[in-house]
Amino acid sequence: MSRLIIISNRVSAPKDSHAGAQGGLAVALQAAIREFGGIWFGWSGETVEEFTGQINFQRAQGVTTATVDLEEQDIEEYYNGYANRTLWPLFHYRIDLAEYERGFAGGYQRVNERFADTLRPLVESEDILWVQDYHMFPLGQCLRDRGVKNRIGFFLHIPWPPRRLLATMPEAQELVRTMFAYDLVGFHTQEWLDSFRDYATYELGATVEGDTLVLGERRLRAIVAPIGIDCKEFVAGASTAAAKLAYRRMRDSAVGRDMIVGVDRLDYSKGLEERFAGYERFLAEHPEERKEVFLLQIAPPSRGAVESYKKIRTALEGLSGRINGAYADTDWVPIRYVNQGYPRDVLAGIYRAARIGLVTPLRDGMNLVAKEYVAAQDPEDPGVLILSRFAGAAAQLKDAVLVNPYSADEVSDAIMQALRMSREERKARWRSMMDNVEAEDVVWWRTLFTDALMGKDTPAPIPAHNDVAAA
Ligand code: GDG
């Protein structure tokens, strides 16, 4: 049987602590490696004075990880630079924030070459390779240049931008051309896939044959594979002692008020400023509801080395302070804004205690918080998910209250609708969403992709347009 080599920027070795401590994606990829045998390869997260390509192998619970250290300059140009200041904003449609610097592009290419040099000797002829995410677009081509003939797949965890936005990046054509080194590419939604196909056909002259794009000698199959969560693990996590304690604490501290919860990495794509503005509109328009609700926003900081992330942190501190200053009373504060992370089972308890899950990214590849919120609910008295129509998750969670996150009025109306929603309606919407979260979980996603990569499934034609998230 073929071994599976997974390659991603960061690598998660299995941990000894209870299963809830790790994200569902890490656990699912580890399980895949256990099933097929193989390796998980990537950056160690450490720096070294001079790159050596020395691999640190580790084996834990049946999973082998192989990591390499990078130079300070690599991290500046490849990770903080091209990945986080060029590709991340551009792929979330924020060309106003995207920085196009040749130094970043050069460093990104150099690091991918370094990964390819290091990985090449580990690849055996029957292995199947699966590259994850935007840090590694050119890796497939770098491996082909070094004689790797194996099947290689690529999965993109973030959106794919419309072609006219992508065209603003100087290396766009080259980047998309190198993607034809892969045999299979996967996206969370049809919308992202359509944008990719548009670019490849209009800008590069690729042709479409069913679900395959053809460019010269290369054939690239493109599929939709929406990622899910480890639903069983999350449901179990919601009834651990820690979850129950968190649930009780939240309920006690709510003193009969309805809690609205948001949980997001501190990132401009998550629409936090717009969310606060929508909530403020709700408070302004519904004075009678003011002391009946509060918003708990959990936002652990991320990518603190990047300037735009420092800015959003300052902006949110100002905004939450202003809203609290304008509306708070001696016995009530409208926003509890928290800049720290919590263990996963504590999060599950918090989700369960919240009458509303407010998930309003401006643009999001999928958004797992939306699915976690659904999985954590009490089936007999579930809360309401308010979800941005611009999150990939909206294509699956059609019974959420879908909103345009840019519209404070829509967010405000959705909060009111959710607060007034009958238990009957809440249960019906929740059941339909939970059916999806249970069925299309992270193992389903992983199997969908690896089966396609190994040619074990039946290709379906690409529909002309995405009927869901095309807005
Ligand atoms: C990228 C794409 C796509 C958050 N706060 C805490 C915490 N989290 C966990 C959540 C969730 C995860 O982080 C965030 O996942 P998302 O999907 O919402 O967002 P990204 O990090 O931007 O992920 C995204 C995803 O890749 C997968 O393909 O869905 O669109 O952008 O699991 O629970 N976890 C803990 N404490 C926290 O305080 N333990």
Side-chain angles (χ1 to χ4, degrees):
M1 197 172 79
S2 313
R3 295 191 314 168
L4 179 67
I5 301 184
I6 292 176
I7 305 121
S8 61
N9 177 53
R10 295 304 301 275
V11 173
S12 293
K15 296 206 177 84
D16 286 331
S17 51
H18 65 101
Q22 288 194 298
L25 174 61
V27 172
L29 295 182
Q30 290 156 7
I33 290 174
R34 243 177 247 123
E35 182 181 329
F36 296 100
I39 309 170
W40 191 346
F41 176 89
W43 174 37
S44 61
E46 303 293 327
T47 52
V48 67
E49 191 103 352
E50 197 171 333
F51 181 78
T52 61
Q54 191 186 325
I55 305 172
N56 177 15
F57 286 100
Q58 283 188 334
R59 194 162 167 82
Q61 299 172 31
V63 177
T64 303
T65 54
T67 56
V68 281
D69 301 342
L70 292 174
E71 291 171 17
E72 201 72 60
Q73 191 185 350
D74 290 338
I75 291 152
E76 233 2 82
E77 294 170 349
Y78 148 83
Y79 183 69
N80 291 327
Y82 206 69
N84 288 337
R85 288 162 68 180
T86 307
L87 294 173
W88 179 273
L90 169 62
F91 278 62
H92 289 86
Y93 299 23
R94 293 297 301 270
I95 54 173
D96 58 321
L97 296 176
E99 296 175 48
Y100 301 141
E101 297 288 341
R102 283 193 181 144
F104 292 170
Y108 179 76
Q109 185 64 29
R110 180 180 68 245
V111 169
N112 274 278
E113 306 267 353
R114 286 182 165 175
F115 284 145
D117 282 334
T118 317
L119 180 61
R120 176 71 190 95
L122 306 182
V123 179
E124 294 170 10
S125 60
E126 297 299 309
D127 291 347
I128 295 221
L129 281 66
W130 184 7
V131 179
Q132 308 278 330
D133 228 358
Y134 63 101
H135 310 90
M136 308 249 178
F137 281 122
L139 186 69
Q141 185 61 56
C142 298
L143 289 166
R144 297 278 181 236
D145 293 344
R146 287 158 179 77
V148 172
K149 302 248 182 317
N150 306 49
R151 288 190 71 74
I152 316 181
F154 178 89
F155 188 83
L156 184 65
H157 289 264
I158 63 175
W160 186 278
R163 77 183 154 92
R164 291 186 194 283
L165 293 185
L166 183 56
T168 62
M169 186 175 76
E171 303 81 28
Q173 287 215 359
E174 192 45 31
L175 183 140
V176 180
R177 202 179 294 283
T178 63
M179 287 186 67
F180 280 80
Y182 295 109
D183 299 291
L184 176 73
V185 58
F187 302 93
H188 287 308
T189 68
Q190 187 67 45
E191 187 179 3
W192 316 144
L193 190 156
D194 286 346
S195 298
F196 173 74
R197 192 186 44 187
D198 275 359
Y199 190 94
T201 51
Y202 283 99
E203 301 286 339
L204 299 184
T207 52
V208 180
E209 288 180 18
D211 66 0
T212 299
L213 285 155
V214 182
L215 185 66
E217 300 286 289
R218 292 295 312 171
R219 298 176 65 80
L220 171 60
R221 190 173 164 208
I223 62 164
V224 175
I227 199 168
I229 60 167
D230 187 341
C231 186
K232 284 199 199 84
E233 182 262 330
F234 210 84
V235 170
S239 51
T240 59
K244 285 184 176 152
L245 183 63
Y247 174 86
R248 265 203 313 279
R249 281 211 177 123
M250 288 319 305
R251 280 286 163 117
D252 289 350
S253 81
V255 288
R257 297 181 170 118
D258 283 323
M259 174 164 80
I260 305 173
V261 76
V263 176
D264 311 76
R265 275 189 308 102
L266 198 51
D267 191 296
Y268 47 80
S269 68
K270 303 294 182 185
L272 292 165
E273 289 174 71
E274 290 77 4
R275 185 178 310 169
F276 283 7
Y279 177 63
E280 183 180 28
R281 180 72 51 94
F282 170 80
L283 296 176
E285 282 180 350
H286 301 283
E288 74 290 356
E289 295 291 335
R290 275 179 207 162
K291 289 192 181 178
E292 303 298 319
V293 297
F294 69 95
L295 169 64
L296 169 65
Q297 178 61 55
I298 296 176
S302 75
R303 303 175 192 170
V306 177
E307 192 53 37
S308 49
Y309 288 77
K310 292 181 193 150
K311 277 199 188 134
I312 181 179
R313 188 164 181 172
T314 311
L316 286 168
E317 279 162 9
L319 202 49
S320 58
R322 186 172 63 68
I323 297 170
N324 281 341
Y327 292 96
D329 205 339
T330 47
D331 58 351
W332 173 68
V333 178
I335 303 183
R336 300 184 192 174
Y337 175 51
V338 183
N339 275 145
Q340 68 177 57
Y342 294 90
R344 289 177 69 71
D345 42 9
V346 171
L347 269 192
I350 295 174
Y351 288 141
R352 196 177 176 97
R355 164 51 67 94
I356 299 176
L358 194 52
V359 184
T360 54
L362 303 179
R363 199 59 63 178
D364 216 330
M366 171 54 68
N367 195 296
L368 297 178
V369 169
K371 295 185 173 186
E372 292 166 359
Y373 177 77
V374 170
Q377 295 308 299
D378 173 358
E380 290 310 314
D381 189 18
V384 180
L385 175 66
I386 298 178
L387 177 62
S388 162
R389 56 181 72 252
F390 304 132
Q396 290 169 296
L397 304 180
K398 295 176 180 140
D399 279 302
V401 174
L402 295 178
V403 291
N404 174 349
Y406 292 93
S407 163
D409 288 329
E410 275 195 34
V411 172
S412 165
D413 289 353
I415 294 173
M416 202 59 228
Q417 183 189 346
L419 291 174
R420 288 201 178 129
M421 196 178 284
S422 68
R423 184 192 284 234
E424 235 68 326
E425 185 176 348
R426 282 188 278 123
K427 280 169 80 171
R429 285 177 183 259
W430 174 79
R431 186 65 260 169
S432 123
M433 292 191 286
M434 188 62 173
D435 285 346
N436 178 275
V437 174
E438 278 172 334
E440 300 186 350
D441 69 356
V442 73
V443 176
W444 172 86
W445 165 79
R446 192 277 285 168
T447 311
L448 185 69
F449 194 90
T450 49
D451 278 0
L453 189 54
M454 293 172 188
K456 286 195 211 158
D457 65 332
T458 326
I462 302 176
H465 283 291
N466 186 6
D467 57 347
V468 183

